[in-house]
Amino acid sequence: MALSQTVAFIGGGNMATALIHGLLEAGVAEPSRLLVSDVRPESLAQLNARYGVQTTRDNRKACACDVVVLAVKPQSFPSLLPELAPWIAASSLVISIAAGVPVHAVEHCLPHARVVRAMPNTPALVSAGATALAAGKLAGAGELALAETIFASVGRVVRVADAEMDAVTALSGSGPAYVFLLAEALANAGVALGLSRETASILATQTLYGAGKLLHESSEAPQALRSKVTSPGGTTAAGIAELEKQGFARAVEACLRAASQRGAELGHAAAAALNAVSEQ
């Protein structure tokens, strides 16, 4: 069922493009109800040609839509939000996908807006994303449901508290990079064992894809699936024993803790910058 609301994207980059593609592909929105605002005319022309969506270089037109998705870099917020503040209607839903910018910082600049913070990840580009949503003070069940409908068009959606977003960023937001790093490591190890680079890369990529698909589609827990591959005294058991000896689980936890801490630092900096701008 298509949305009855109009949706504007301020910023026409990769994530906005992924959401537009997902909404149209899933039949959730009609092109006539989608608007993109961007400073780059070439990006607008490409989006219009590819998807038939409306485009503009005037953010005021975007603010007239029912849903306004802030799809720009976090460093653009101190100049963007004060510009939007006079034009955002109290009835509008504002969705921020800027990493590291807490809900309260957006609300500080847009005090009458119904704000939902979203943390999608890059697999949204292939409709396999993971998105977490956190509601602001004025966003109710209806706003969360609407945001969930939008992001469900490109993958799975969960709801969390804004205080949990640093952990979400560390796990699913940054998570694809960890998987890509594992793919590199597997391929490099395969080459070290005598495989060609092409063969090792194909096997590593397909193994990660297949294991992820199996995990996604299975009703069994990761531990149960792992045990089915791990015969006592076999090759997999030998490999896992070495990973445990090297502190694999501890390294993963330390990785997420470091990423989460950095997310908190960036969030504090973003909030301070937005507070300073709004007080001028």
Side-chain angles (χ1 to χ4, degrees):
M1 180 177 174
L3 292 175
S4 60
Q5 296 87 347
T6 53
V7 181
F9 297 88
I10 296 182
N14 286 337
M15 195 55 67
T17 301
L19 288 168
I20 290 168
H21 177 84
L23 287 167
L24 297 177
E25 185 76 11
V28 175
E30 298 293 333
S32 61
R33 293 191 172 274
L34 302 181
L35 172 69
V36 184
S37 177
D38 200 290
V39 297
R40 301 164 297 173
E42 65 278 5
S43 295
L44 296 178
Q46 290 172 2
L47 288 167
N48 175 259
R50 183 176 180 183
Y51 298 111
V53 297
Q54 303 176 72
T55 63
T56 183
R57 297 182 68 183
D58 185 352
N59 286 337
R60 283 185 290 182
K61 291 183 179 179
C63 291
C65 289
D66 301 313
V67 181
V68 180
V69 182
L70 304 178
V72 299
K73 300 292 186 183
Q75 54 265 34
S76 299
F77 271 43
S79 59
L80 177 66
L81 295 189
E83 174 197 341
L84 303 182
W87 308 106
I88 293 287
S91 59
S92 296
L93 167 61
V94 176
I95 301 176
S96 169
I97 63 173
V101 181
V103 167
H104 69 81
V106 178
E107 291 177 323
H108 190 78
C109 292
L110 306 175
H112 304 297
R114 304 179 185 190
V115 180
V116 169
R117 179 183 177 187
M119 173 49 62
N121 62 7
T122 54
L125 295 169
V126 290
S127 298
T131 301
L133 302 176
K137 292 183 294 185
L138 300 180
E143 285 76 31
L144 267 174
L146 178 53
E148 188 168 290
T149 297
I150 291 171
F151 286 93
S153 69
V154 293
R156 297 286 298 273
V157 181
V158 298
R159 300 182 184 184
V160 300
D162 194 45
E164 297 175 301
M165 275 297 199
D166 292 329
V168 168
T169 301
L171 176 55
S172 58
S174 299
Y178 313 147
V179 176
F180 302 149
L181 182 62
L182 176 58
E184 289 180 59
L186 285 171
N188 288 339
V191 171
L193 290 173
L195 297 176
S196 71
R197 172 62 61 182
E198 180 183 9
T199 297
S201 295
I202 290 172
L203 291 175
T205 299
Q206 187 64 21
T207 297
L208 289 176
Y209 170 75
K213 191 171 189 293
L214 179 60
L215 180 61
H216 181 268
E217 296 180 2
S218 174
S219 60
E220 296 184 278
Q223 296 89 335
L225 292 172
R226 173 166 57 85
S227 68
K228 288 185 176 182
V229 188
T230 312
S231 302
T235 58
T236 307
I240 288 176
E242 187 61 28
L243 283 175
E244 291 175 342
K245 179 181 176 182
Q246 298 294 333
F248 179 74
R250 292 193 302 275
V252 171
E253 182 178 346
C255 168
L256 264 64
R257 287 190 181 279
S260 179
Q261 181 178 343
R262 182 56 179 157
E265 292 169 355
L266 292 173
H268 292 318
L274 290 173
N275 288 343
V277 167
S278 64
E279 292 168 1
Q280 291 178 355

